Amino acid sequence: MLLASSALALSLLLSGCGGQQGMQKGAAQVKVMKAMQQDAPITSEYAGQITGKDEVKVQSKVSGAVVEKYVKGGEFVTAGQALYRIDSRQYESAVWQAQAALAQTEATLSNARVDLSRYEALYAAAAIPEQTVATQRANVSAYESAAEANAALLRRAQQDLADTTIYAPMTGQLAVDDVAVGTFVTAGNTTLVTIGTNDPVYATFSISETDYLKFMGAAMRGEGSPSARVSLKLSDGTSYPIDGRIVETDRALKDNTGTLKIKALFDNPGGLLLPGMFARVKITGQTVPNAILVPERAVQQLLDKSFVMVVEDGKSKARNVTLGDKVGSFYIIKDGILANDMVVVEGLTNLQEGVELSPTEVTAADMGFSLENDMKEFDPDVSTLGK
């Protein structure tokens, strides 16, 4: 560590030739703040998209032209409410034909049963052979089967007629993709309208394999769970006031992206969240106890080293540090900095090691630093959503 620090200091000194001149001109004006020590919740953020919990494409079970429409796109409907009516004339004719066929079959069956009763009486009196009775019994059985088949055809025709009126399968809001009167629809193929619920809703997002292993490792160590707290930041930078919970996790990583698809459920009583909206999903997992925190802007990098400038004996001193997770405006420092070390947060440009400093102490609030992740810039990468 000492060698690395010395090498770093030497490179800084060699980077400009005005080090001694700067000291002669007076102390450098910088802003400094104390390195903080406190429990730090680790959060991860992902691009997400809002989807309805339940969504159904309403299709007709029969083919025909739409002759009546009882709703408009965007309306709220209740389960069982009539939405459309299909031209029913051909289905009415099918019912009449099935009724006539069934009536004819039942009449034939009735006559066959009368004949069978008469034949059985004659056979009992030894007036006719047994074969005649057996044949008539077979005829009755065949007519019964025909009657049952025609009864089934009638029920099917009646059901088709009933299906010419299409009802809402659930309570929810209609989309504006509703078809117009006069549209010919094909059974099981044409979507008349889409209906869905807006409370609750899903926030669907994807995490990398690395993040998945990190979350699982933390859970197995008893340091928390990725489902501890799930929150949303909307595209205008505002926070959604209701926390959600993870309810669905895909069984495998996607082959083309190497990500794991996850769904978090959010209550939406005011209807603010609409399906199709984009949002940032923030998962708060484990908490690092007594973490040393340094502002991100205080951290500088040179080659493969990270360092910060601290005030030591009134002069600038470079400290090599090992970075941990990022928490809001801060980095967790694993080593190299102690609590209450005075870290330079402003005035780092051209600041070299060993320069006399005139520090002004500031606080995180003065500088606008926060443990909350700044998501004002909203540019979600949605390339993997829904895949």
Side-chain angles (χ1 to χ4, degrees):
M1 180 66 72
L2 181 60
L3 292 175
S5 179
S6 300
L8 177 59
L10 179 61
S11 66
L12 288 171
L13 289 171
L14 293 176
S15 63
C17 61
Q20 295 299 325
Q21 295 176 0
M23 292 176 63
Q24 294 171 0
K25 291 179 181 179
Q29 302 290 325
V30 295
K31 291 182 179 180
V32 299
M33 65 175 287
K34 292 180 180 179
M36 304 189 321
Q37 184 173 23
Q38 66 181 74
D39 294 347
I42 304 301
T43 61
S44 301
E45 299 164 16
Y46 306 94
Q49 187 171 22
I50 305 302
T51 58
K53 180 177 180 294
D54 298 301
E55 186 173 287
V56 175
K57 295 183 181 299
V58 180
Q59 297 179 335
S60 174
K61 295 180 181 179
V62 295
S63 300
V66 176
V67 294
E68 284 191 86
K69 181 179 176 182
Y70 307 112
V71 293
K72 294 186 299 183
E75 286 186 356
F76 284 90
V77 296
T78 58
Q81 180 177 338
L83 304 178
Y84 292 90
R85 188 172 70 84
I86 306 296
D87 186 0
S88 61
R89 290 174 297 178
Q90 61 175 319
Y91 301 103
E92 291 171 353
S93 298
V95 169
W96 297 334
Q97 291 175 355
Q99 287 174 335
L102 177 59
Q104 183 177 7
T105 305
E106 287 178 338
T108 303
L109 174 60
S110 179
N111 290 334
R113 285 172 175 169
V114 171
D115 288 343
L116 176 59
S117 179
R118 183 164 54 87
Y119 290 166
E120 287 175 338
L122 291 173
Y123 174 70
I128 60 174
E130 182 182 1
Q131 182 61 45
T132 301
V133 177
T135 299
Q136 189 60 24
R137 285 175 179 166
N139 290 337
V140 168
S141 179
Y143 294 145
E144 287 175 342
S145 297
E148 291 175 357
N150 285 335
L153 291 176
L154 176 60
R155 288 193 297 271
R156 172 62 183 273
Q158 291 171 333
Q159 185 61 59
D160 287 345
L161 179 60
D163 287 339
T164 57
T165 300
I166 294 92
Y167 300 93
M170 59 186 288
T171 297
Q173 185 179 11
L174 301 178
V176 293
D177 60 353
D178 51 317
V179 302
V181 172
T183 302
F184 186 88
V185 299
T186 304
N189 186 43
T190 305
T191 298
L192 296 168
V193 69
T194 303
I195 180 173
T197 58
N198 289 347
D199 184 25
V201 294
Y202 287 127
T204 303
F205 60 101
S206 297
I207 68 172
S208 67
E209 180 179 354
T210 301
D211 283 350
Y212 168 75
L213 294 174
K214 180 179 71 173
F215 290 144
M216 293 303 297
M220 288 187 289
R221 291 191 302 269
E223 298 175 356
S225 167
S227 60
R229 180 171 180 261
V230 184
S231 57
L232 286 179
K233 186 78 76 171
L234 305 182
S235 60
D236 62 355
T238 60
S239 297
Y240 185 66
I242 302 175
D243 287 346
R245 65 187 189 279
I246 292 176
V247 293
E248 293 184 19
T249 302
D250 207 348
R251 59 175 294 274
L253 299 177
K254 299 297 182 183
D255 292 338
N256 55 340
T257 62
T259 58
L260 186 69
K261 187 174 181 179
I262 297 176
K263 289 184 178 181
L265 190 66
F266 288 83
D267 290 332
N268 189 32
L272 175 62
L273 302 178
L274 296 177
M277 291 176 63
F278 294 109
R280 299 289 297 183
V281 181
K282 183 169 69 174
I283 301 177
T284 302
Q286 74 272 22
T287 296
V288 178
N290 297 318
I292 302 297
L293 299 170
V294 166
E296 178 185 11
R297 66 185 298 173
V299 177
Q300 302 181 77
Q301 292 186 329
L302 182 65
L303 300 178
D304 60 343
K305 300 293 184 182
S306 298
F307 67 95
V308 299
M309 284 290 189
V310 300
V311 180
E312 189 174 295
D313 298 327
K315 297 182 179 181
S316 58
K317 176 68 174 180
R319 293 269 191 88
N320 288 345
V321 295
T322 302
L323 302 181
D325 289 297
K326 187 174 180 295
V327 182
S329 306
F330 297 84
Y331 272 117
I332 293 177
I333 303 300
K334 295 183 177 180
D335 60 63
I337 292 293
L338 300 177
N340 296 325
D341 280 347
M342 301 301 293
V343 178
V344 179
V345 296
E346 190 169 292
L348 289 165
T349 304
N350 298 323
L351 181 62
Q352 302 169 23
E353 189 174 29
V355 175
E356 284 193 31
L357 300 177
S358 176
T360 300
E361 185 173 353
V362 296
T363 65
D366 295 333
M367 301 299 294
F369 300 152
S370 171
L371 291 177
E372 292 292 327
N373 292 297
D374 183 8
M375 294 187 287
K376 293 294 184 183
E377 296 297 328
F378 187 80
D379 184 19
D381 176 10
V382 297
S383 61
T384 62
L385 292 176
K387 291 185 179 180

